[in-house]
PDB file of all heavy atoms in Angstrom:
ATOM      1  N   MET P 153      11.012  16.348   4.928  1.00 94.00           N
ATOM      2  CA  MET P 153      10.628  16.759   3.539  1.00 94.00           C
ATOM      3  C   MET P 153      11.622  16.168   2.480  1.00 94.00           C
ATOM      4  O   MET P 153      11.254  15.846   1.333  1.00 94.00           O
ATOM      5  CB  MET P 153      10.422  18.265   3.384  1.00 94.00           C
ATOM      6  CG  MET P 153       9.113  18.707   3.838  1.00 94.00           C
ATOM      7  SD  MET P 153       7.808  17.877   2.968  1.00 94.00           S
ATOM      8  CE  MET P 153       6.698  17.569   4.314  1.00 94.00           C
ATOM      9  N   VAL P 154      12.773  16.301   2.944  1.00 94.00           N
ATOM     10  CA  VAL P 154      13.833  15.824   1.961  1.00 94.00           C
ATOM     11  C   VAL P 154      13.657  14.287   1.683  1.00 94.00           C
ATOM     12  O   VAL P 154      13.664  13.883   0.580  1.00 94.00           O
ATOM     13  CB  VAL P 154      15.306  16.067   2.574  1.00 94.00           C
ATOM     14  CG1 VAL P 154      16.431  15.303   1.757  1.00 94.00           C
ATOM     15  CG2 VAL P 154      15.708  17.496   2.713  1.00 94.00           C
ATOM     16  N   ARG P 155      13.400  13.582   2.728  1.00 91.00           N
ATOM     17  CA  ARG P 155      13.173  12.087   2.500  1.00 91.00           C
ATOM     18  C   ARG P 155      11.779  11.968   1.609  1.00 91.00           C
ATOM     19  O   ARG P 155      11.724  11.125   0.753  1.00 91.00           O
ATOM     20  CB  ARG P 155      12.914  11.363   3.881  1.00 91.00           C
ATOM     21  CG  ARG P 155      14.091  11.430   4.627  1.00 91.00           C
ATOM     22  CD  ARG P 155      13.909  10.852   6.082  1.00 91.00           C
ATOM     23  NE  ARG P 155      13.608   9.449   6.083  1.00 91.00           N
ATOM     24  CZ  ARG P 155      13.374   8.821   7.247  1.00 91.00           C
ATOM     25  NH1 ARG P 155      13.314   9.325   8.355  1.00 91.00           N
ATOM     26  NH2 ARG P 155      13.178   7.442   7.179  1.00 91.00           N
ATOM     27  N   ILE P 156      10.844  12.735   2.057  1.00 93.00           N
ATOM     28  CA  ILE P 156       9.502  12.556   1.437  1.00 93.00           C
ATOM     29  C   ILE P 156       9.619  12.923  -0.110  1.00 93.00           C
ATOM     30  O   ILE P 156       9.119  12.253  -1.038  1.00 93.00           O
ATOM     31  CB  ILE P 156       8.420  13.353   2.111  1.00 93.00           C
ATOM     32  CG1 ILE P 156       8.165  12.686   3.386  1.00 93.00           C
ATOM     33  CG2 ILE P 156       7.260  13.611   1.170  1.00 93.00           C
ATOM     34  CD1 ILE P 156       7.152  13.487   4.291  1.00 93.00           C
ATOM     35  N   CYS P 157      10.384  14.038  -0.396  1.00 92.00           N
ATOM     36  CA  CYS P 157      10.453  14.390  -1.793  1.00 92.00           C
ATOM     37  C   CYS P 157      11.072  13.370  -2.719  1.00 92.00           C
ATOM     38  O   CYS P 157      10.677  13.307  -3.864  1.00 92.00           O
ATOM     39  CB  CYS P 157      11.229  15.712  -1.900  1.00 92.00           C
ATOM     40  SG  CYS P 157      10.228  17.226  -1.459  1.00 92.00           S
ATOM     41  N   LYS P 158      12.032  12.701  -2.185  1.00 88.00           N
ATOM     42  CA  LYS P 158      12.697  11.700  -3.028  1.00 88.00           C
ATOM     43  C   LYS P 158      11.628  10.664  -3.505  1.00 88.00           C
ATOM     44  O   LYS P 158      11.657  10.190  -4.561  1.00 88.00           O
ATOM     45  CB  LYS P 158      13.728  10.938  -2.209  1.00 88.00           C
ATOM     46  CG  LYS P 158      14.947  11.674  -2.178  1.00 88.00           C
ATOM     47  CD  LYS P 158      16.099  10.877  -1.331  1.00 88.00           C
ATOM     48  CE  LYS P 158      17.265  11.786  -1.101  1.00 88.00           C
ATOM     49  NZ  LYS P 158      17.935  11.453   0.180  1.00 88.00           N
ATOM     50  N   GLU P 159      10.786  10.197  -2.592  1.00 87.00           N
ATOM     51  CA  GLU P 159       9.747   9.234  -2.981  1.00 87.00           C
ATOM     52  C   GLU P 159       8.619   9.910  -3.859  1.00 87.00           C
ATOM     53  O   GLU P 159       8.035   9.242  -4.650  1.00 87.00           O
ATOM     54  CB  GLU P 159       9.216   8.661  -1.726  1.00 87.00           C
ATOM     55  CG  GLU P 159      10.135   7.812  -0.996  1.00 87.00           C
ATOM     56  CD  GLU P 159       9.715   7.242   0.336  1.00 87.00           C
ATOM     57  OE1 GLU P 159       8.739   7.684   0.878  1.00 87.00           O
ATOM     58  OE2 GLU P 159      10.470   6.329   0.781  1.00 87.00           O
ATOM     59  N   GLU P 160       8.299  11.098  -3.568  1.00 87.00           N
ATOM     60  CA  GLU P 160       7.097  11.747  -4.292  1.00 87.00           C
ATOM     61  C   GLU P 160       7.442  11.798  -5.711  1.00 87.00           C
ATOM     62  O   GLU P 160       6.567  11.760  -6.584  1.00 87.00           O
ATOM     63  CB  GLU P 160       6.893  13.130  -3.654  1.00 87.00           C
ATOM     64  CG  GLU P 160       6.089  13.117  -2.353  1.00 87.00           C
ATOM     65  CD  GLU P 160       4.744  12.572  -2.437  1.00 87.00           C
ATOM     66  OE1 GLU P 160       4.129  12.422  -3.570  1.00 87.00           O
ATOM     67  OE2 GLU P 160       4.105  12.254  -1.336  1.00 87.00           O
ATOM     68  N   SER P 161       8.702  12.041  -6.084  1.00 85.00           N
ATOM     69  CA  SER P 161       8.993  12.410  -7.504  1.00 85.00           C
ATOM     70  C   SER P 161       8.743  10.943  -8.417  1.00 85.00           C
ATOM     71  O   SER P 161       8.194  11.050  -9.397  1.00 85.00           O
ATOM     72  CB  SER P 161      10.299  12.836  -7.813  1.00 85.00           C
ATOM     73  OG  SER P 161      11.275  12.003  -7.232  1.00 85.00           O
ATOM     74  N   PHE P 162       9.002   9.879  -7.565  1.00 88.00           N
ATOM     75  CA  PHE P 162       8.578   8.605  -8.238  1.00 88.00           C
ATOM     76  C   PHE P 162       7.126   8.416  -8.380  1.00 88.00           C
ATOM     77  O   PHE P 162       6.572   7.873  -9.294  1.00 88.00           O
ATOM     78  CB  PHE P 162       9.302   7.419  -7.311  1.00 88.00           C
ATOM     79  CG  PHE P 162       8.462   6.124  -7.331  1.00 88.00           C
ATOM     80  CD1 PHE P 162       8.368   5.279  -8.380  1.00 88.00           C
ATOM     81  CD2 PHE P 162       7.773   5.820  -6.044  1.00 88.00           C
ATOM     82  CE1 PHE P 162       7.546   4.121  -8.346  1.00 88.00           C
ATOM     83  CE2 PHE P 162       6.947   4.672  -5.988  1.00 88.00           C
ATOM     84  CZ  PHE P 162       6.886   3.809  -7.060  1.00 88.00           C
ATOM     85  N   HIS P 163       6.323   8.980  -7.300  1.00 90.00           N
ATOM     86  CA  HIS P 163       4.894   8.910  -7.427  1.00 90.00           C
ATOM     87  C   HIS P 163       4.377   9.690  -8.664  1.00 90.00           C
ATOM     88  O   HIS P 163       3.497   9.285  -9.217  1.00 90.00           O
ATOM     89  CB  HIS P 163       4.285   9.474  -6.145  1.00 90.00           C
ATOM     90  CG  HIS P 163       4.629   8.641  -4.939  1.00 90.00           C
ATOM     91  ND1 HIS P 163       4.316   9.088  -3.688  1.00 90.00           N
ATOM     92  CD2 HIS P 163       5.195   7.368  -4.759  1.00 90.00           C
ATOM     93  CE1 HIS P 163       4.701   8.180  -2.808  1.00 90.00           C
ATOM     94  NE2 HIS P 163       5.245   7.158  -3.436  1.00 90.00           N
ATOM     95  N   GLN P 164       4.903  10.788  -8.815  1.00 90.00           N
ATOM     96  CA  GLN P 164       4.434  11.615  -9.920  1.00 90.00           C
ATOM     97  C   GLN P 164       4.754  10.927 -11.263  1.00 90.00           C
ATOM     98  O   GLN P 164       3.900  10.842 -12.092  1.00 90.00           O
ATOM     99  CB  GLN P 164       5.033  13.010  -9.851  1.00 90.00           C
ATOM    100  CG  GLN P 164       4.190  13.892 -10.768  1.00 90.00           C
ATOM    101  CD  GLN P 164       4.960  15.230 -11.245  1.00 90.00           C
ATOM    102  OE1 GLN P 164       6.145  15.243 -11.006  1.00 90.00           O
ATOM    103  NE2 GLN P 164       4.288  16.107 -11.783  1.00 90.00           N
ATOM    104  N   ARG P 165       5.972  10.254 -11.338  1.00 92.00           N
ATOM    105  CA  ARG P 165       6.286   9.689 -12.561  1.00 92.00           C
ATOM    106  C   ARG P 165       5.401   8.632 -12.857  1.00 92.00           C
ATOM    107  O   ARG P 165       4.943   8.268 -14.093  1.00 92.00           O
ATOM    108  CB  ARG P 165       7.751   9.232 -12.600  1.00 92.00           C
ATOM    109  CG  ARG P 165       8.689  10.327 -12.949  1.00 92.00           C
ATOM    110  CD  ARG P 165      10.050   9.665 -13.433  1.00 92.00           C
ATOM    111  NE  ARG P 165      10.610   8.849 -12.394  1.00 92.00           N
ATOM    112  CZ  ARG P 165      11.354   9.183 -11.320  1.00 92.00           C
ATOM    113  NH1 ARG P 165      11.603  10.651 -11.213  1.00 92.00           N
ATOM    114  NH2 ARG P 165      11.923   8.435 -10.488  1.00 92.00           N
TER     115      ARG P 165
END
Side-chain angles (χ1 to χ4, degrees):
Chain P
M153 277 305 136
V154 172
R155 294 171 72 179
I156 289 174
C157 278
K158 281 184 192 149
E159 293 175 346
E160 286 292 348
S161 58
F162 147 74
H163 294 174
Q164 195 201 11
R165 276 202 303 277

